Amino acid sequence: LVLFAQSRNAINDIYKAFKEAASEVRGIGTMIWIDCSGSGQKLCRQLKASPDQFVMHHYKDGKFHKVYDRQLTTKSLVRFMNDPTGDRPWEEEPTSKHVIHLDTPSNLSKLLKKHKRVLVMFYAPWCVYCKQMKPEYAAAAAKVKENGLGVLAAMDVHRAENTGMRTKYNITGFPTVHYFKNGEILATYEGENKQDKIVEFMKDPTAVPVKVKETPWSEEPSEVKHLTTDTFDQFIKENPSTLVMFYAPWCGHCKNLKPEWVKAAAAGSKQLNNGVVAAVDATKETALSDRFKVKGFPTIKYFKDGEFVFDTPNLRDSKKVIEFLRDPKEPPPAPPPEPAWADVPSEVVHLTEDNFKSQLRSKRHALVMFYAPWCGHCKAAKPEFEMAAEQLKEEPRMVLAAVNCVDNPAVCKLYDVKGYPTFKYFKYQKESSGYDGGRKAADFVNFLKNLERDSGAQTGNSEQSSTQASVAKEQKPVSENKKTEKREVPNHSGSDKLLQLTDDNFKTLVGEHKHLFVMFIGKECNKCDSATAVFAEVARMSDPSSGLATLAVCDVDTSPAVAAELKVDTLPTFKYFRNGMFVLDYSGEIAANLIHEFIKRLKNLSKDEL
């Protein structure tokens, strides 16, 4: 996704969102911006981009795909990059502003606690009937809100983080619309997909909706021959070329096909080469349905000289039906279904909710790919991932593993998987970091081998010496003739209030403290001693019990793994963590009053402001 801008000032309002989105989609797609008034002027002309202020163009497989036309937020940009060919998310449609869109199960829980009367539409983006209902539902939401009848909400349960809602609320088809009162399901809306009917339902959800009885197809005038169990065999014998649609009255695809069937039948015997267009209501004629093994609707079967010959599933418009009956030919066999990845022999270890921990417990280095079977990027990465696993099969402490998030949503939710594929690195079953490297076999192999080599450098060769070497590539190696010694923080006033952060306790301390502000120091750093004195003074001035950040010091010489993971390449470096996650660096002047003011501001800043 390329952001073409007249100047940096022209994109001030969206630059932050664009930059955050670029970070989130790393490994899935690339986002860049070009200054069309500066050094990128020639490139903008070549790409035919001449924005008044700015414009975003998406390129796919090296070619222009489309102009970005969604909201200018981080979430919208990320969703677009994860599925650039998909439909615009419902919540971004202007007409849906009165519908409360629920991103996660926790959002639903909060909504049910806040509002007494809630109607929730559980849907999937690809569902045709959901798309048809959306505008009526959105219009009803405005009227329901205006009349104080409650609120209307919607949840996309096709998203990985929401799939658990299908089981919880017994959702077996789309859309499913449940009415909640005081947090519990009171009724399910099964009325017409019309805004006035939805509003009427909200006035009295316990009333049974009156459905208009549809006229049976067999009673409607047409040239289609409607067959029953009693008439079927005789009719097939008397008509040597017969095409039969087995249908269900409630089936949406059958309803769509019905007018095409009527048109084809109306073409007449000469146009159809003496062929006949017929239909069977499989819900009434169950004996016929069972006899011919009808498993879904509509099912189209061709009969010749009184005998069943073959299925013709692709006849979905009148022209194709007429062409077929003029010259009946068996369609080519359908390609076999693609086997599940877990069923394909390879060295990739497939993880489930049952074996996730047990499989990774003995592996020092594990790279796990979280995927969905339908995901195109996942399919592209699979052969490279398998090649890498094959190359590493003789390495007992390394493994490449995969998790199908459709079948194992709980695991993917636990590790905060938001898109596919997502790669995460685990060390002895514990998550250590994400992976944003390349997706070729060599990239995966080199990533794990470099970690193993670095781990070996940390451990040292006990048969040759007790020397320990630093593995952080940003740091200078410790002399081979000198063992690294743990440095104590210089004893300044307030230094007793500074926590000592190390490779061993890093995860624990970051997880225990909601706000943690860490200074990284090292023996090669000339400014670190004076900076430590300033930091100790800040610790003396601060009281973590009042909500201010706890202060800690990390020596990169004795804790190289932490420094490498956080990419500490200059000293001293100051990093702020909130709720166990790195948030931002402090790059201001090293002065006690300024640092103290900085951590005071951190206390009250929202996530968006950070």
Side-chain angles (χ1 to χ4, degrees):
L1 185 65
V2 182
L3 170 59
F4 299 96
Q6 275 300 337
S7 66
R8 175 64 176 80
N9 290 335
I11 56 172
N12 279 340
D13 293 339
I14 66 163
Y15 183 74
K16 180 181 177 183
F18 192 80
K19 186 176 180 181
E20 288 174 350
S23 178
E24 285 196 39
V25 303
R26 188 178 299 163
I28 296 172
T30 304
M31 297 173 64
I32 63 175
W33 85 273
I34 299 175
D35 185 350
C36 293
S37 64
S39 57
Q41 190 172 9
K42 183 177 179 182
L43 184 56
C44 291
R45 285 200 302 268
Q46 289 175 344
L47 296 175
K48 298 179 181 179
S50 53
D52 292 333
Q53 287 190 311
F54 64 85
V55 66
M56 289 187 234
H57 289 179
H58 182 257
Y59 296 84
K60 189 173 185 294
D61 300 323
K63 297 180 180 179
F64 172 76
H65 171 225
K66 65 185 296 186
V67 175
Y68 180 83
D69 58 354
R70 304 209 186 154
Q71 293 180 357
L72 301 174
T73 64
T74 302
K75 183 168 75 172
S76 294
L77 287 161
V78 170
R79 280 189 184 170
F80 175 81
M81 290 298 288
N82 279 318
D83 185 16
T85 60
D87 293 336
R88 179 198 295 264
W90 187 15
E91 58 264 39
E92 294 190 15
E93 295 176 10
T95 56
S96 75
K97 64 181 180 180
H98 295 293
V99 178
I100 299 174
H101 296 276
L102 305 168
D103 287 337
T104 64
S106 64
N107 291 153
L108 175 58
S109 299
K110 291 176 183 177
L111 182 71
L112 297 180
K113 289 178 182 177
K114 183 178 179 181
H115 295 278
K116 184 178 180 180
R117 306 174 66 189
V118 182
L119 189 67
V120 183
M121 174 178 165
F122 297 92
Y123 71 97
W126 45 261
C127 161
V128 174
Y129 301 107
C130 304
K131 292 178 180 180
Q132 293 172 350
M133 187 176 184
K134 282 177 181 180
E136 298 291 333
Y137 192 80
K143 290 185 178 180
V144 167
K145 183 179 179 180
E146 180 182 345
N147 293 301
L149 300 175
V151 297
L152 268 62
M155 173 177 273
D156 178 358
V157 289
H158 188 61
R159 291 182 189 167
E161 60 267 32
N162 296 334
T163 53
M165 297 295 97
R166 298 189 194 182
T167 303
K168 184 174 182 179
Y169 294 119
N170 192 30
I171 298 166
T172 57
F174 303 116
T176 293
V177 186
H178 287 322
Y179 174 76
F180 294 81
K181 186 173 182 179
N182 298 324
E184 299 293 333
I185 294 179
L186 181 66
T188 299
Y189 178 74
E190 295 179 331
E192 295 180 58
N193 295 345
K194 301 293 183 182
Q195 58 173 296
D196 56 338
K197 297 296 183 183
I198 297 171
V199 174
E200 187 179 327
F201 172 83
M202 290 297 288
K203 292 177 180 177
D204 184 8
T206 58
V208 178
V210 179
K211 294 186 177 180
V212 179
K213 185 177 180 181
E214 294 184 11
T215 303
W217 188 12
S218 59
E219 295 180 14
E220 295 178 7
S222 77
E223 297 300 320
V224 176
K225 306 301 180 183
H226 292 274
L227 308 179
T228 67
T229 304
D230 295 333
T231 64
F232 188 88
D233 289 332
Q234 186 63 33
F235 185 89
I236 294 298
K237 288 179 182 178
E238 294 175 353
N239 295 274
S241 179
T242 306
L243 194 61
V244 182
M245 175 171 72
F246 291 81
Y247 71 96
W250 46 261
C251 159
H253 294 297
C254 303
K255 290 178 180 179
N256 292 336
L257 183 56
K258 178 177 158 184
E260 300 299 322
W261 219 242
V262 171
K263 286 181 191 176
S269 178
K270 288 185 178 180
Q271 288 284 337
L272 301 176
N273 194 21
N274 294 319
V276 179
V277 178
V280 173
D281 183 345
T283 63
K284 290 183 178 179
E285 311 302 331
T286 54
L288 284 177
S289 179
D290 292 341
R291 175 180 163 189
F292 291 107
K293 297 181 175 58
V294 175
K295 301 295 184 182
F297 307 114
T299 292
I300 304 171
K301 293 180 178 288
Y302 178 64
F303 295 81
K304 184 175 177 60
D305 299 326
E307 299 290 335
F308 166 68
V309 185
F310 49 74
D311 289 325
T312 58
N314 297 321
L315 301 180
R316 295 304 173 102
D317 64 61
S318 58
K319 289 182 180 179
K320 288 185 177 180
V321 173
I322 294 170
E323 288 173 3
F324 173 81
L325 284 173
R326 285 175 179 169
D327 184 18
K329 291 181 180 178
E330 184 173 4
E338 184 179 344
W341 190 12
D343 296 335
V344 178
S346 77
E347 295 300 324
V348 175
V349 175
H350 291 274
L351 306 175
T352 66
E353 294 172 3
D354 296 327
N355 71 359
F356 189 90
K357 290 186 177 180
S358 61
Q359 285 285 350
L360 298 187
R361 188 174 293 129
S362 62
K363 299 300 180 182
R364 185 170 188 170
H365 303 295
L367 185 61
V368 180
M369 174 178 165
F370 295 86
Y371 73 97
W374 45 261
C375 159
H377 293 295
C378 306
K379 291 178 181 179
K382 276 163 58 175
E384 297 292 332
F385 206 64
E386 289 177 348
M387 287 171 58
E390 178 68 27
Q391 294 176 37
L392 293 172
K393 66 181 181 180
E394 303 298 332
E395 300 286 348
R397 294 191 293 185
M398 302 181 198
V399 69
L400 267 67
V403 178
N404 182 342
C405 289
V406 174
D407 293 340
N408 302 280
V411 174
C412 300
K413 180 181 178 181
L414 178 64
Y415 293 105
D416 197 32
V417 175
K418 298 289 178 65
Y420 307 119
T422 291
F423 296 88
K424 290 183 180 286
Y425 166 64
F426 291 80
K427 187 173 183 178
Y428 296 125
Q429 91 180 32
K430 294 183 179 179
E431 181 185 357
S432 288
S433 66
Y435 171 84
D436 58 4
R439 294 189 181 178
K440 296 296 184 182
D443 298 317
F444 298 131
V445 171
N446 290 338
F447 174 75
L448 291 183
K449 285 193 171 182
N450 287 341
L451 286 169
E452 177 65 12
R453 183 176 63 249
D454 290 349
S455 298
Q458 281 183 315
T459 305
N461 188 338
S462 58
E463 295 179 0
Q464 296 177 11
S465 69
S466 61
T467 303
Q468 291 186 328
S470 168
V471 297
K473 57 188 177 183
E474 293 87 356
Q475 296 170 244
K476 296 180 180 180
V478 179
S479 168
E480 294 181 4
N481 300 318
K482 185 177 178 181
K483 183 177 179 178
T484 302
E485 297 178 358
K486 183 177 179 179
R487 297 172 64 238
E488 298 295 333
V489 175
N491 187 20
H492 301 290
S493 176
S495 60
D496 58 320
K497 298 181 182 293
L498 297 173
L499 297 180
Q500 301 290 305
L501 191 149
T502 67
D503 284 348
D504 295 330
N505 67 11
F506 171 69
K507 295 286 186 185
T508 302
L509 289 183
V510 171
E512 286 178 349
H513 298 275
K514 181 178 180 180
H515 302 280
L516 188 66
F517 191 53
V518 184
M519 178 174 74
F520 294 83
I521 61 174
K523 66 183 181 66
E524 299 294 331
C525 167
N526 296 326
K527 298 179 180 179
C528 286
D529 282 346
S530 59
T532 304
V534 171
F535 207 53
E537 184 180 349
V538 177
R540 186 172 53 81
M541 298 162 61
S542 306
D543 180 9
S545 64
S546 64
L548 296 182
T550 300
L551 272 58
V553 176
C554 179
D555 186 334
V556 300
D557 296 317
T558 56
S559 300
V562 171
E565 182 177 338
L566 296 173
K567 296 181 173 61
V568 176
D569 53 7
T570 59
L571 298 175
T573 285
F574 299 85
K575 291 183 178 288
Y576 170 61
F577 299 81
R578 177 182 282 190
N579 294 326
M581 301 292 290
F582 166 69
V583 178
L584 52 77
D585 291 316
Y586 172 76
S587 56
E589 185 180 343
I590 302 176
N593 61 328
L594 296 177
I595 295 176
H596 187 246
E597 283 300 316
F598 176 75
I599 64 173
K600 282 170 64 178
R601 290 200 306 274
L602 292 174
K603 173 185 174 182
N604 299 314
L605 287 179
S606 68
K607 182 179 179 182
D608 289 339
E609 289 172 318
L610 285 169

